Amino acid sequence: MEPIIIARDLVKHYKMGDTIVEALRGVSLEVKRGEFLVIMGASGSGKSTLMHILGCLDHPTKGNLFIDGEDISRASSSRLAELRNRKIGFVFQQFNLLSRTTAESNVELPLLYSGVSLSDRRRRASESLDQVGLAHRKKHYPTQLSGGEQQRVAIARALITDPPIIMADEPTGNLDSISGAEVLSILQDLNSRGITVVMVTHEREVAEHGDRIIHIRDGLIRAEENVEHKRDAKESVELLKKQRKEKEESVVAGHETD
């Protein structure tokens, strides 16, 4: 499969006072079209910096980046914004939803900048919410939704422009085990439909839901591995729900015998 993302010798420096922080120190990688790639590393390893550059949210200090064959290493801010809007959907650990806006309106937001009519925005928002199983909650506000539901709204928002790439930065970090597995199940399902997924995590169990894992430390790729026994998130959801039900039944039975 041909690569949809190619990075060559990416370097990223930040200046903090008189100190230069080397977040990336020469990273090269390729992401194949339709792949589920996981970038794994501890806090401060450079994994989120790498994702921000791959996702056109930031420029590298040095190096080259190609998205779908286009060299965007020195692209203007307006060009990067256009690429993000057309080709990349983002899902973050913090859901980044507008609290006073319904799920439907939150999902519509990326289309506001494209001149899409209200009727088309509403139709596409409903379709996106339906893909994550939340069409029936479209009129609810974020405060009326669970953490897992809020993250699914964020995924629906990422999908509304039909991007070929989804970037997910610690998407399960703020969720309980069942909600996290449900989000991973959605990402796996999207990937099975041909969407390229690039996910950042520091958890091995989460990483094993992808096809390939890149290990990054101190701004460098230290190892790479193909996942031999890929976890099935749907199976994880069912198992976790079964375990929760058994635990609840056990607690009830314990109270009845007291």
Side-chain angles (χ1 to χ4, degrees):
M1 191 72 71
E2 65 177 3
I4 192 169
I5 301 173
I6 300 175
R8 293 283 181 262
D9 301 315
L10 294 181
V11 173
K12 184 64 180 179
H13 294 166
Y14 294 103
K15 190 170 183 180
M16 299 182 66
D18 296 328
T19 304
I20 300 295
V21 177
E22 297 180 308
L24 297 178
R25 298 193 289 140
V27 171
S28 296
L29 63 86
E30 294 186 358
V31 183
K32 297 181 180 67
R33 192 180 300 275
E35 182 178 21
F36 193 143
L37 176 72
V38 180
I39 301 171
M40 190 176 178
S43 178
S45 62
K47 62 185 187 299
S48 289
T49 298
L50 176 58
M51 170 165 281
H52 288 169
I53 292 176
L54 297 181
C56 302
L57 290 170
D58 200 359
H59 282 100
T61 304
K62 296 179 183 178
N64 295 93
L65 177 65
F66 298 84
I67 302 292
D68 218 3
E70 178 183 352
D71 187 349
I72 54 92
S73 313
R74 307 294 176 263
S76 66
S77 296
S78 60
R79 178 56 182 154
L80 291 182
E82 183 183 355
L83 284 168
R84 290 195 301 270
N85 190 260
R86 290 195 299 108
K87 295 195 174 185
I88 305 170
F90 294 92
V91 183
F92 298 100
Q93 181 174 352
Q94 305 297 332
F95 316 128
N96 297 332
L97 301 179
L98 300 179
S99 61
R100 297 183 180 181
T101 303
T102 64
E104 179 181 54
S105 295
N106 268 285
V107 172
E108 288 177 11
L109 284 175
L111 299 181
L112 287 175
Y113 309 107
S114 304
V116 179
S117 68
L118 176 61
S119 60
D120 279 349
R121 292 202 309 267
R122 291 287 159 87
R123 175 183 57 78
R124 290 168 65 176
S126 292
E127 290 173 354
S128 289
L129 284 164
D130 188 49
Q131 287 188 67
V132 300
L134 284 180
H136 63 296
R137 306 279 275 170
K138 65 182 181 181
K139 297 300 184 183
H140 288 68
Y141 292 85
T143 53
Q144 298 172 310
L145 303 173
S146 68
E149 288 173 330
Q150 290 184 60
Q151 189 63 293
R152 285 153 65 189
V153 171
I155 294 173
R157 181 181 57 196
L159 291 173
I160 198 165
T161 57
D162 295 320
I165 304 168
I166 293 290
M167 299 272 178
D169 193 353
E170 300 279 7
T172 65
N174 285 338
L175 305 178
D176 61 49
S177 56
I178 292 178
S179 296
E182 288 173 339
V183 164
L184 290 170
S185 178
I186 291 170
L187 293 176
Q188 285 186 332
D189 184 54
L190 295 173
N191 180 242
S192 72
R193 298 185 219 167
I195 294 177
T196 303
V197 178
V198 180
M199 180 175 70
V200 160
T201 185
H202 64 278
E203 299 180 72
R204 177 73 196 190
E205 186 173 329
V206 172
E208 288 176 353
H209 289 82
D211 300 316
R212 182 164 59 108
I213 303 173
I214 297 289
H215 296 267
I216 188 167
R217 186 173 73 251
D218 298 328
L220 288 168
I221 292 177
R222 302 291 185 172
E224 178 181 337
E225 62 176 304
N226 292 318
V227 180
E228 293 184 8
H229 303 290
K230 185 174 177 178
R231 291 177 180 267
D232 186 322
K234 285 187 175 66
E235 291 182 0
S236 297
V237 171
E238 294 306 314
L239 177 60
L240 288 166
K241 285 183 176 178
K242 180 181 178 182
Q243 290 174 343
R244 176 180 288 183
K245 183 178 179 180
E246 290 174 347
K247 184 176 181 179
E248 290 172 349
E249 290 174 347
S250 176
V251 170
V252 171
H255 286 317
E256 289 176 347
T257 56
D258 286 345

